[in-house]
Amino acid sequence: MSSKLQLTTLAVLVSAALPAQAALYKVVEVAPGVSGNEVYGTAIQPSGSDASCFDSGASSATCEGYKLAGETRNRPDGFSYREEVPFAMDNSFGYIEDDYDGFEDYCFYQLGYATCEYWASDRWSSWYNETYSSNTPNSLAFIEGSAEKPSGAINTVINSLDPSGQPVGNFSTSSKRNEAFSAVTNSTLTSKAQSRAWASDETYTVGSTSSKSGIGGERYYYSSAPAIWSASGFVSIPRAGGYEVDGDYYAQGSMRDFYIDSTGGKTYGVGYNNYSDQHMNATIFIGNSATPTTPTTSWESKLIYNAQVDISGDNINSNSVATNINKNLVVVGQAKRSGGFPQNGAASNRLFIVPDASASSINASFFYGGIFFDGAGGEMGGINNFNEIVGRIDSENHREYDGKQRRQRAFIYPYGVTPKVTVPAEVTAINDRKAIFNGKAWLLDDLTNGGSESSNNNQYRIYDASDINDAGVISATAVKCSGGYDSTSHNAYCGDGNGTEKVVAVKLVPIAGADASAIQPRSYDSTATERQGAGLGFGALTILGLFGFMRKRIK
């Protein structure tokens, strides 16, 4: 008997012996309602004051009913439809101006892969199509089966859903690379050459505006600034560096999320701003009012130290951004390590946390320990008010520089109580939720294994987690092998490597009453190197890394 068969048989026997409630999540695939070769989940509907879906009496209809927003792709973005500038760092537009050579140079100097020719070719062909050839849509947005296409839109992205489930994002037209859309409109916003929307509470929306359209002859050399608007007011946050243009560099800024502290009379925004030498650094924006778009509100930009570009005179990072903030004033984000200063063999996009945005000293702490090894890269997804953080992270730690890109998997990190959580009931609630995960971070594939959902869940391997609401429901992207992978292991193949896999949008819905005792970590098949075949199998995750789009960010 082969070791593969032994492992598969063992997995079946173990599963049969476990209680029916094993696994923490049920994987629910979402029909997009639009066409596309690959389907990605980008946001989940907020749950407000609804009960946790982990509660024993939680309604499955309610928990599965939170709407997921997503997008399709037929090819990779030339550069992200979300970002203010190419590769979230090219504010001189030098890489993108050099066409194919610029794409290859970015990969060579900032990523270091041995496969840069392949990496650049795929993205350049997409950029060429968008810029010089046709306006064939590539990114079609949807909310649970219904297409979301603003009038005149070509490519549309959804960055979040507001409390009513309305989309917040941006779209391109024949005359603008990006135009914001949300339920909150403002006449000043619509007059801007470009705009992007990231988050909204239905009264205020945050994002950025740019000075040129980014289309045709103006596709290069534009600047952007962080912005917040309501139906009656619009505010552009001042540049921290003070200069719109400095030599070949154009100032950039963006607000990605916000929280209004009505009790303290302040507004906290997060994103990035432009600093000396035109560096794009993760920033906390603090407005001295709970009505942030009034003319009397003043704004301060506080740089997040340890994540900035220039550290002790060296450009350790190429850029950084704070992506999310919650009501506990916990901030999360990411900093892209510069290609000239790789860490542990990779110029990775490292994830960080700031436990209190109101602290006098703002310092980023990078994720480390457990699944977060030294120099691990990933993408931040989001954080809820239970301080549960989701995203994706490297699941391999081989050297990327002069090598191949690491595979990545979705994770959840129950961070726990932070300084602004002082109400006893809230402390207890956060600790109780953290206990469900045995107090540590997990790859989400480990939490979808076992019990009555095992057969359904074994059709999916979760690549990215993009958002999480307070009820615990997660929007995600998975690779699917219809009927199930050959075993429940992390590196199982689909049809012995000959099966057909596809990229799908999924919701991860907590199983009512599940707790830490239900966790069954997936194993690794020992015969992976012996397998052959034309199917993608576990390698589909590499395909996602090479060709899939980067959500949010950077975000």
Side-chain angles (χ1 to χ4, degrees):
M1 180 183 290
S2 71
S3 59
K4 175 177 142 183
L5 181 57
Q6 290 171 350
L7 283 167
T8 305
T9 303
L10 177 61
V12 172
L13 293 173
V14 170
S15 176
L18 287 167
Q21 290 285 15
L24 292 187
Y25 294 97
K26 176 182 179 180
V27 182
V28 178
E29 186 174 346
V30 174
V34 292
S35 61
N37 294 337
E38 298 178 344
V39 185
Y40 296 82
T42 63
I44 196 71
Q45 181 180 358
S47 57
S49 59
D50 293 354
S52 167
C53 289
F54 283 108
D55 289 352
S56 58
S59 164
S60 60
T62 298
C63 293
E64 293 184 26
Y66 295 114
K67 292 184 177 181
L68 176 143
E71 301 155 15
T72 63
R73 292 292 189 277
N74 292 314
R75 58 184 186 274
D77 305 2
F79 71 85
S80 173
Y81 301 130
R82 293 179 158 82
E83 291 300 328
E84 280 75 19
V85 295
F87 315 122
M89 58 82 68
D90 184 17
N91 57 338
S92 71
F93 298 90
Y95 285 124
I96 203 73
E97 187 179 26
D98 287 342
D99 293 333
Y100 171 81
D101 289 341
F103 279 83
E104 189 172 18
D105 284 347
Y106 171 78
C107 181
F108 181 80
Y109 290 110
Q110 291 297 332
L111 302 176
Y113 305 149
T115 55
C116 281
E117 196 172 303
Y118 187 55
W119 186 97
S121 177
D122 201 59
R123 284 159 177 78
W124 155 246
S125 62
S126 189
W127 168 247
Y128 182 90
N129 179 73
E130 294 163 10
T131 309
Y132 305 111
S133 181
S134 71
N135 285 327
T136 304
N138 182 36
S139 180
L140 302 180
F142 65 91
I143 299 177
E144 290 279 323
S146 298
E148 293 291 332
K149 187 177 181 181
S151 178
I154 299 172
N155 291 309
T156 306
V157 296
I158 296 176
N159 292 317
S160 63
L161 294 175
D162 71 17
S164 294
Q166 296 301 304
V168 182
N170 53 270
F171 62 96
S172 63
T173 67
S174 59
S175 60
K176 290 186 179 183
R177 177 168 175 82
N178 281 289
E179 186 164 346
F181 71 98
S182 74
V184 180
T185 59
N186 181 282
S187 58
T188 301
L189 178 77
T190 56
S191 69
K192 298 293 184 178
Q194 283 195 81
S195 58
R196 295 163 177 81
W198 284 88
S200 179
D201 66 358
E202 297 181 280
T203 301
Y204 302 98
T205 298
V206 297
S208 68
T209 60
S210 300
S211 61
K212 290 184 179 181
S213 70
I215 294 292
E218 295 188 327
R219 65 183 180 273
Y220 308 130
Y221 315 135
Y222 53 82
S223 62
S224 62
I228 181 169
W229 61 90
S230 63
S232 59
F234 175 89
V235 174
S236 181
I237 308 298
R239 297 179 179 90
Y243 297 99
E244 181 175 2
V245 182
D246 185 4
D248 294 332
Y249 295 89
Y250 292 75
Q252 308 293 334
S254 178
M255 193 181 297
R256 302 297 176 86
D257 199 7
F258 71 109
Y259 175 73
I260 296 178
D261 179 6
S262 299
T263 302
K266 291 185 177 182
T267 299
Y268 293 87
V270 298
Y272 71 88
N273 207 341
N274 190 87
Y275 293 81
S276 61
D277 294 328
Q278 299 296 70
H279 291 156
M280 299 156 57
N281 289 327
T283 298
I284 296 173
F285 306 99
I286 303 177
N288 66 347
S289 170
T291 53
T293 59
T294 56
T296 57
T297 301
S298 63
W299 289 88
E300 176 186 10
S301 291
K302 299 189 72 171
L303 185 148
I304 299 176
Y305 288 94
N306 296 338
Q308 75 270 31
V309 171
D310 187 332
I311 299 176
S312 300
D314 291 318
N315 289 349
I316 301 299
N317 296 307
S318 64
N319 62 286
S320 60
V321 60
T323 57
N324 304 89
I325 185 172
N326 66 8
K327 73 173 187 178
N328 306 319
L329 301 188
V330 180
V331 176
V332 293
Q334 53 203 28
K336 168 65 174 67
R337 193 85 175 184
S338 170
F341 293 88
Q343 181 182 11
N344 193 21
S348 55
N349 199 43
R350 298 178 298 156
L351 310 183
F352 67 76
I353 186 168
V354 176
D356 181 4
S358 67
S360 57
S361 180
I362 304 296
N363 295 281
S365 297
F366 290 97
F367 291 4
Y368 184 73
I371 63 173
F372 306 113
F373 58 85
D374 183 35
E379 287 287 324
M380 188 61 72
I383 183 171
N384 64 12
N385 290 317
F386 289 91
N387 293 344
E388 294 164 346
I389 304 164
V390 297
R392 71 176 187 261
I393 197 70
D394 288 341
S395 60
E396 300 176 326
N397 63 357
H398 62 254
R399 183 179 179 85
E400 282 192 325
Y401 236 73
D402 299 323
K404 63 179 182 178
Q405 188 173 1
R406 295 167 178 165
R407 297 183 178 102
Q408 294 183 334
R409 294 291 185 94
F411 73 85
I412 185 167
Y413 183 9
Y415 191 79
V417 175
T418 49
K420 302 301 284 188
V421 182
T422 57
V423 177
E426 293 181 357
V427 171
T428 298
I430 289 175
N431 283 331
D432 286 349
R433 285 276 282 259
K434 185 175 182 178
I436 293 172
F437 302 95
N438 204 21
K440 64 179 183 178
W442 292 91
L443 297 180
L444 281 164
D445 279 339
D446 284 323
L447 307 183
T448 62
N449 185 34
S452 60
E453 293 297 335
S454 187
S455 179
N456 170 68
N457 287 356
N458 193 44
Q459 297 182 101
Y460 306 93
R461 294 295 182 267
I462 314 302
Y463 166 67
D464 184 37
S466 56
D467 195 11
I468 182 170
N469 65 21
D470 288 347
V473 182
I474 298 169
S475 59
T477 302
V479 180
K480 181 182 181 183
C481 174
S482 295
Y485 284 88
D486 293 352
S487 75
T488 60
S489 68
H490 278 291
N491 57 336
Y493 270 59
C494 179
D496 203 25
N498 295 302
T500 299
E501 296 173 280
K502 61 181 181 178
V503 180
V504 298
V506 298
K507 290 184 284 193
L508 301 184
V509 181
I511 295 173
D515 58 26
S517 65
I519 298 174
Q520 296 182 57
R522 295 184 186 272
S523 62
Y524 285 88
D525 284 351
S526 61
T527 57
T529 57
E530 299 173 12
R531 295 174 180 162
Q532 297 178 357
L536 294 176
F538 185 55
L541 296 179
T542 299
I543 298 296
L544 272 166
L546 290 171
F547 300 111
F549 80 99
M550 304 284 280
R551 187 199 174 267
K552 291 183 182 182
R553 349 104 112 166
I554 290 203
K555 242 173 222 200

